[in-house]
Every structure is written in structure tokens, then in C-alpha cells.
Amino acid sequence: MEEPLSFYKVIAVLVVLGTICIGMCIRDIIRYQLRTIAGPMIALFASVHIYGYLIYPRAAKMPINEYRFDWEIYVQMGWALALILCLLIGLMLLKKLLMPKDLRFLMTSREIAPRPQLYQLGFFVTIVYTLFFLIRKRSAIGELLTIIRSGDYMWYYEVRVQNIFDHAQSNPILNNLDSLIVGNLLMFLVGVLYYIGFKYRKFFPYYHLLLAFALLTTLIRFQKSPILQLMLLICLAYFFGRQFSIRRGFRFIKPILLTGVFLIAVVAVYVVLGFSGNIVGELHNRLFLSSTLTSYAHFWTFPTHNGFLYYGGSRLFNLVLGFGQTPDLSLGLATPPLVSSYLYMGSMFNLNTSILGTAWAQNGYAGIFIETMLFFGCFVFWDIVFARKLKRYPYEPVVIFFLMQFLVVLNNGALSLIGKGFIVIPVLYLILFRPFSGGYGGGRPPMS
């Protein structure tokens, strides 16, 4: 199937816009010594989507006829991606304009200490609710132990598929609380404590207890990505806790070794979970091709085979605003990933994709404009606020929490700003901790 001329026009536009966008992000990362959220997140989104868009039509093991490939739809998706890149360039220009010119705030030693009563309350609520969560999920813990004893890790994937439907039909209030406290606050506290522990080279037993809780809660979700996120969280805590400076060339050995350790851990997770194929090829397809395939599925589905959803199927919006579910599917679960998987793939599962697909499914080009500005605008907002208004607060704990969830830019839409804690967690950080400039005697960390 020969590519039409319009495809090459889109490619030319994407390459130019992508080069500008990624170049601005690299400058942002170097200038702020990786203590930035917008630069890494936007660079990841732009590079993965452009690369995936270029190679997808010729990708091995993905015959285009099998996936109902249509050049007209694919070109339309390319123009939507070009719109996103234009908006991202605009956001990076806005950040450059509003960030302080004086970078001394990056060089000053900034410390944090807990606000005693609020921190203790937050820690107590996190521990108690996590225990409540584990009690509710005791059957999942039993299944996990049975899988480990049997060594049949394909069972792990079967349980994961069933959990998708169980989660979608469960109590939305409990789901949101699970996400806020177990998925976000627990992980954030682990990141903060280990950041401080690595910084002062001193750890206390309850640090490891919290990490054990986090590990158990990730394992019983029966997904690889939460496990990898937890490992990345610890790596980033070490990375920033040991005062890495991107301007000191000899210190690049640390991030290189750390990246190597993380990649080995990723391969180990695949091996332990029984993956028998080409792991490197699988990682390549999962990272670079999956986002393109899933986004294309959404463009194929909406609006030709199913009308735009206008957020009518959002469980979050239904809970808060009382919207009715769109009854297009037998289960009434009219979210973009489920509708696309049902109509495009022929079976219902969670066909997650980035804002390129989910925003289009909600409201076409208007949805893409709104979600891009909200989603990536949130990252730019926190970068600016902490650099201008909250200079005394170390930004590293927030950066660690955000970068830990880097896959969100490839797998989720703008509603993940709430579900992933991108709005709530920085606010809780300001509530639970205060800036401290007195220094800690003897290198003793504050949370002792």
C-alpha cells in the first residue's frame, strides 16, 4: 500500500515541529538541571509519538490490513499530533517567559521539615487506609501467593484482565480514594522519605515499612507498570538525594549507572513474569508503537463508528457532576479505551492511550486543544510556581513523584491530572511540609 502525498506533508511538518519542541525541552532540562517536570514529560511525549508515527505503517509484526489501516484516518491523526506539538511549543515559550532569569534558587541549599501535627495526621491516615485497602484486597493477596507458589505467571495476566472489569464496576468513591491515598500519597511519602534518607545517608525502620506497603499494593494490582514505577521512584530518590548536578560532567557516571540498573530491573520483571519472547523488541513495541496503535484505534472509532463521547462516560465526571453513562456498550462503560477496543479490536479491554487518542475521542480537535493545555499546562504551572513563589521549598520531591509516572504521557488523558495526583500531591506537599533553612545537626534527617 503506497503512501499518499499528504502523508509526506504531515511528516515534514511533524519533523520540523518536533525538532523545535524537543530542542526547547532539552534546553529546559539542562538549564534547570533536571529539576523540571515540563521539559522531560513533553520531550518524552513528542519523541515517542513522532517516532511511532513515522515507523508504524512499516512496523514488523503489525500488518496494516489486519488493523483496519486507512491512510486518510492516519493523516488526520498526524495533523492532530501537529496541533499538539504547536500547543506544546507555545507552553514552553510561556514557561521561558515566566521563569525567573536568576537561577540562584537552583544553587541554594533548600531543606524541608514536617509540620508536626499535619504530617503525623497525613502519615496516620495513609497507613490506616492502606491497611484497610489490603484487607479489602485480601483475596488478591491470596491469588498472588498462589501464583508465586505455582510458578504459572500467565495466570498473573489473566487476573489482570479480570481486575479491569471488576475495577470498572466497583464503587467509584472507593476507587478514587484508593487512587488518592494508596496510589498517590503513599508513593509520594515513600519518595520523600527515601529522598531525605539518601540525602543524609540515614534511614529509619518506618521508611522501609512504608516501602513494603507500597510494594505489596503494586503487586496486587497485577500490572507491570506500577512495579516499574516503584523501582523508578527509588532510583529517582537516590538520583536527586545525592545532589546530582547536570553541569558537572564527571557526575554523569551516576545517572548512566542508575539507568543501567533500572533497565536490568525492567528486564528482570519481564523474565520473572514469564515473558518468553524478545524482551528488547517487546519494550520497543510497548514504548514506541503501542501509543501509535492505540491512538489510531481511537481515530478509527471516533466519530465514524461511534460519536464523540463529550466526557459522558467518565466515571469521575459522573460522580462529581451526575452525568449519565452513555449506554453504547452492554456494560455501560463508555470510556474511550473500552469503546475503541470493543469496536476496533473486537473485544473489550482497557486500550489505554495518550491525550492524542483520548482527547480526540471526547471532542475532536477541540478536545485535543483543551486537554493538551490542561494536561501539559499543569506541568508548566508547577514549574513556574515553585521557581517563582515557592523558592524555599525543594522541588525535587515533586519532580520525583511526577517523573516516576512518566508513562502517563503515553497512556492517559487529561483526567489523569486528578487520578494520578498531579494536582493534589503538590498541594499536600505544601500542607505536610515546611521549608527549613537551619540545617540538620550531624547530618541527621528531619523525619527521625
Side-chain angles (χ1 to χ4, degrees), residues 157-271:
Y157 294 99
E158 295 173 7
V159 174
R160 172 189 174 184
V161 173
Q162 182 59 43
N163 283 349
I164 292 174
F165 294 101
D166 292 343
H167 178 81
Q169 299 176 79
S170 58
N171 189 309
I173 296 177
L174 282 179
N175 283 345
N176 286 318
L177 284 175
D178 292 346
S179 177
L180 173 63
I181 299 177
V182 179
N184 297 325
L185 185 55
L186 174 63
M187 292 294 185
F188 174 70
L189 289 177
V190 169
V192 171
L193 294 179
Y194 274 80
Y195 161 73
I196 293 173
F198 284 123
K199 186 172 184 178
Y200 295 97
R201 306 187 184 189
K202 179 70 174 178
F203 296 88
F204 294 90
Y206 80 94
Y207 290 19
H208 307 309
L209 174 64
L210 213 61
L211 177 61
F213 276 148
L215 178 60
L216 183 56
T217 58
T218 58
L219 288 174
I220 63 175
R221 290 170 66 181
F222 295 93
Q223 298 181 43
K224 295 186 293 293
S225 58
I227 301 173
L228 299 177
Q229 285 179 355
L230 182 59
M231 293 191 300
L232 182 59
L233 177 70
I234 301 303
C235 290
L236 289 171
Y238 173 82
F239 182 81
F240 287 106
R242 301 305 291 269
Q243 298 296 303
F244 169 76
S245 174
I246 203 168
R247 296 177 185 274
R248 301 176 185 177
F250 68 90
R251 288 199 175 184
F252 271 103
I253 190 66
K254 280 186 179 179
I256 292 173
L257 289 176
L258 207 59
T259 302
V261 170
F262 178 69
L263 291 177
I264 292 172
V266 170
V267 173
V269 170
Y270 272 84
V271 172

Side-chain angles (χ1 to χ4, degrees), residues 264-293:
I264 292 172
V266 170
V267 173
V269 170
Y270 272 84
V271 172
V272 169
L273 293 181
F275 184 80
S276 58
N278 184 341
I279 295 178
V280 175
E282 171 66 16
L283 289 173
H284 172 270
N285 293 341
R286 179 66 180 86
L287 183 61
F288 295 106
L289 294 182
S290 178
S291 297
T292 305
L293 167 63

Side-chain angles (χ1 to χ4, degrees), residues 23-308:
M24 295 177 71
C25 291
I26 293 174
R27 176 189 178 277
D28 182 77
I29 292 169
I30 294 175
R31 180 175 175 80
Y32 301 110
Q33 301 182 37
L34 237 168
R35 290 160 177 82
T36 171
I37 298 170
M41 291 296 208
I42 292 177
L44 177 66
F45 176 89
S47 58
V48 168
H49 281 77
I50 293 173
Y51 175 78
Y53 190 84
L54 288 172
I55 69 171
Y56 175 69
R58 301 182 182 86
K61 299 182 181 179
M62 284 194 174
I64 56 180
N65 291 331
E66 180 182 340
Y67 287 92
R68 305 181 185 183
F69 190 85
D70 183 282
W71 278 113
E72 184 177 348
I73 295 175
Y74 198 64
V75 169
Q76 184 180 47
M77 187 175 85
W79 288 121
L81 179 57
L83 171 61
I84 293 178
L85 292 176
C86 289
L87 296 173
L88 294 180
I89 292 172
L91 287 172
M92 291 303 295
L93 287 173
L94 179 65
K95 178 182 176 180
K96 182 180 179 182
L97 179 65
L98 296 180
M99 286 291 282
K101 306 301 180 185
D102 186 354
L103 299 183
R104 283 182 296 178
F105 71 91
L106 289 172
M107 308 302 175
T108 57
S109 178
R110 297 172 294 175
E111 315 287 356
I112 52 171
R115 302 181 191 271
Q117 293 182 338
L118 292 174
Y119 173 77
Q120 292 168 7
L121 176 62
F123 189 86
F124 176 77
V125 168
T126 303
I127 291 294
V128 170
Y129 190 87
T130 302
L131 290 172
F132 171 64
F133 172 82
L134 293 174
I135 292 172
R136 284 171 34 226
K137 302 293 184 179
R138 59 187 179 276
S139 61
I141 298 175
E143 285 181 308
L144 177 65
L145 294 175
T146 302
I147 292 171
I148 293 174
R149 286 196 298 266
S150 68
D152 180 14
Y153 291 102
M154 291 308 297
W155 190 1
Y156 193 90
Y157 294 99
E158 295 173 7
V159 174
R160 172 189 174 184
V161 173
Q162 182 59 43
N163 283 349
I164 292 174
F165 294 101
D166 292 343
H167 178 81
Q169 299 176 79
S170 58
N171 189 309
I173 296 177
L174 282 179
N175 283 345
N176 286 318
L177 284 175
D178 292 346
S179 177
L180 173 63
I181 299 177
V182 179
N184 297 325
L185 185 55
L186 174 63
M187 292 294 185
F188 174 70
L189 289 177
V190 169
V192 171
L193 294 179
Y194 274 80
Y195 161 73
I196 293 173
F198 284 123
K199 186 172 184 178
Y200 295 97
R201 306 187 184 189
K202 179 70 174 178
F203 296 88
F204 294 90
Y206 80 94
Y207 290 19
H208 307 309
L209 174 64
L210 213 61
L211 177 61
F213 276 148
L215 178 60
L216 183 56
T217 58
T218 58
L219 288 174
I220 63 175
R221 290 170 66 181
F222 295 93
Q223 298 181 43
K224 295 186 293 293
S225 58
I227 301 173
L228 299 177
Q229 285 179 355
L230 182 59
M231 293 191 300
L232 182 59
L233 177 70
I234 301 303
C235 290
L236 289 171
Y238 173 82
F239 182 81
F240 287 106
R242 301 305 291 269
Q243 298 296 303
F244 169 76
S245 174
I246 203 168
R247 296 177 185 274
R248 301 176 185 177
F250 68 90
R251 288 199 175 184
F252 271 103
I253 190 66
K254 280 186 179 179
I256 292 173
L257 289 176
L258 207 59
T259 302
V261 170
F262 178 69
L263 291 177
I264 292 172
V266 170
V267 173
V269 170
Y270 272 84
V271 172
V272 169
L273 293 181
F275 184 80
S276 58
N278 184 341
I279 295 178
V280 175
E282 171 66 16
L283 289 173
H284 172 270
N285 293 341
R286 179 66 180 86
L287 183 61
F288 295 106
L289 294 182
S290 178
S291 297
T292 305
L293 167 63
T294 54
S295 293
Y296 175 79
H298 286 68
F299 276 80
W300 183 91
T301 303
F302 303 96
T304 304
H305 299 89
N306 193 93
F308 291 132

